[in-house]
Amino acid sequence: MSRPTVYVLSDSIGETAEHVAKAVASQFPATDFRYRRIPYISDHADIDEVIRRASEQPSILIYTLVTRQLKTYLDEQAAARGLTAIDLMNPLMKAFSDTFSLEVGSEPGGMRKLDDDYFRKISAIEFAVRYDDAQDPSGILKADLVIVGVSRTSKTPLSMYLAHQAYKVTNIPLVPEVPVPDELYEVPPERCVGLIINPEKLNNIRQERLKTMGLRPDSDYARFDRILGELEYAEKIMKRLGCPVIDVTARAVEETAHYILDTLNIERRTL
């Protein structure tokens, strides 16, 4: 039997609709859904192709189409083929319009307009890439947030996640043989956070990392006594910095990021 397929159509990128679809699908853990995102829908031909493909397998269509003509055409074609098509945008847009007495616009991709927030986010992402992993210590005093920790504690993923929220973040690896940059000790504690992790968990992560790199699992990088030494060294540095310390052992990157913002009392940014 074909896998149930969710077609996500949008006249923009379609990320919002796909996130909603996956959130709903997570309530059906026994089913392995397949997702097909079709961005930048601009004419009837685009819709016809999706309808044709969706008719060949168990499918549902969800969409965020602002242009009324495209929305109407999709609804008609889906109904003609007996397909379920769910409009994620227009019911909420109507509620806004009716409740607040507002006129509905019809600008596709309006959420992605090049406004100040957009450029602020792009600047933060570029900052995170440039100053990742202590490549350039000059970024330490320019950052909104400095993350420190031993290797494989998700410093880079955290930096990038927070960058997408428009925070300029740099991260510094703590390695016993490598002195930390002097600039690190000039950072106020409220702009710095240290990451720690359970040594057994870190040992497993590093062994898997070595496998993917084709290296021996008994390398110093994954030796348990080496890991204990690194964590002890890192905790000494964090104590000297006076920064909050967060255990990331059982935390997802998103959860850790939110916890950091709450711990440091940093205002959340919604873009």
Side-chain angles (χ1 to χ4, degrees):
M1 180 179 177
S2 299
R3 289 169 59 191
T5 301
V6 180
Y7 284 90
V8 179
L9 297 84
S10 177
D11 42 24
S12 183
I13 296 176
E15 288 179 329
T16 301
E18 185 171 357
H19 287 324
V20 171
K22 289 182 176 180
V24 173
S26 69
Q27 303 304 308
F28 304 90
T31 302
D32 182 21
F33 292 96
R34 178 169 50 188
Y35 300 89
R36 293 286 183 266
R37 194 202 307 178
I38 300 89
Y40 304 116
I41 295 289
S42 60
D43 55 34
H44 291 180
D46 293 335
I47 293 174
D48 290 340
E49 175 61 19
V50 176
I51 293 292
R52 182 190 66 77
R53 290 159 55 187
S55 300
E56 297 173 352
Q57 58 202 321
S59 302
I60 188 170
L61 310 175
I62 68 171
Y63 63 88
T64 53
L65 297 176
V66 175
T67 306
R68 184 171 296 278
Q69 292 177 334
L70 292 178
K71 166 187 156 36
T72 300
Y73 185 75
L74 174 57
D75 287 339
E76 291 173 349
Q77 296 304 308
R81 295 292 189 98
L83 294 169
T84 299
I86 307 298
D87 179 357
L88 295 183
M89 288 282 288
N90 281 277
L92 189 56
M93 287 169 57
K94 186 177 185 304
F96 270 64
S97 176
D98 293 347
T99 302
F100 303 118
S101 300
L102 299 173
E103 183 177 348
V104 177
S106 58
E107 179 187 358
M111 289 180 63
R112 298 287 173 178
K113 63 180 184 290
L114 303 183
D115 55 14
D116 290 342
D117 286 342
Y118 174 86
F119 287 111
R120 186 154 50 93
K121 180 170 74 171
I122 295 302
S123 177
I125 293 172
E126 291 175 344
F127 186 94
V129 172
R130 177 176 178 180
Y131 297 109
D132 180 50
D133 210 26
Q135 294 181 71
D136 183 350
S138 69
I140 293 175
L141 298 179
K142 303 174 186 175
D144 296 323
L145 176 67
V146 179
I147 299 175
V148 300
V150 301
S151 173
R152 312 313 294 178
T153 49
S154 299
K155 297 186 301 301
T156 294
L158 270 171
S159 297
M160 293 307 301
Y161 181 90
L162 289 166
H164 278 81
Q165 312 303 312
Y167 297 101
K168 292 184 177 180
V169 183
T170 185
N171 65 83
I172 309 297
L174 300 180
V175 183
E177 295 81 9
V178 181
V180 298
D182 293 336
E183 293 89 342
L184 185 58
Y185 296 113
E186 299 179 39
V187 177
E190 64 271 16
R191 282 178 42 213
C192 182
V193 65
L195 306 181
I196 61 172
I197 189 172
N198 177 275
E200 288 82 4
K201 174 71 172 178
L202 183 56
N203 178 253
N204 291 334
I205 292 173
R206 289 190 176 183
Q207 286 185 349
E208 289 301 316
R209 174 64 172 165
L210 289 173
K211 288 179 184 178
T212 62
M213 296 173 64
L215 301 175
R216 293 171 55 88
D218 58 352
S219 165
D220 284 350
Y221 181 67
R223 272 194 7 246
F224 198 73
D225 60 335
R226 166 69 186 189
I227 288 173
L228 291 176
E230 286 188 33
L231 291 173
E232 181 180 0
Y233 169 77
E235 290 181 9
K236 289 180 180 177
I237 297 294
M238 294 172 196
K239 185 175 181 179
R240 180 177 173 184
L241 293 172
C243 64
V245 177
I246 298 175
D247 189 335
V248 300
T249 302
R251 295 182 187 274
V253 168
E254 180 178 0
E255 181 185 2
T256 303
H258 292 170
Y259 189 79
I260 288 172
L261 298 181
D262 289 340
T263 300
L264 297 181
N265 197 28
I266 298 175
E267 181 182 357
R268 300 256 180 108
R269 295 174 180 170
T270 302
L271 300 180

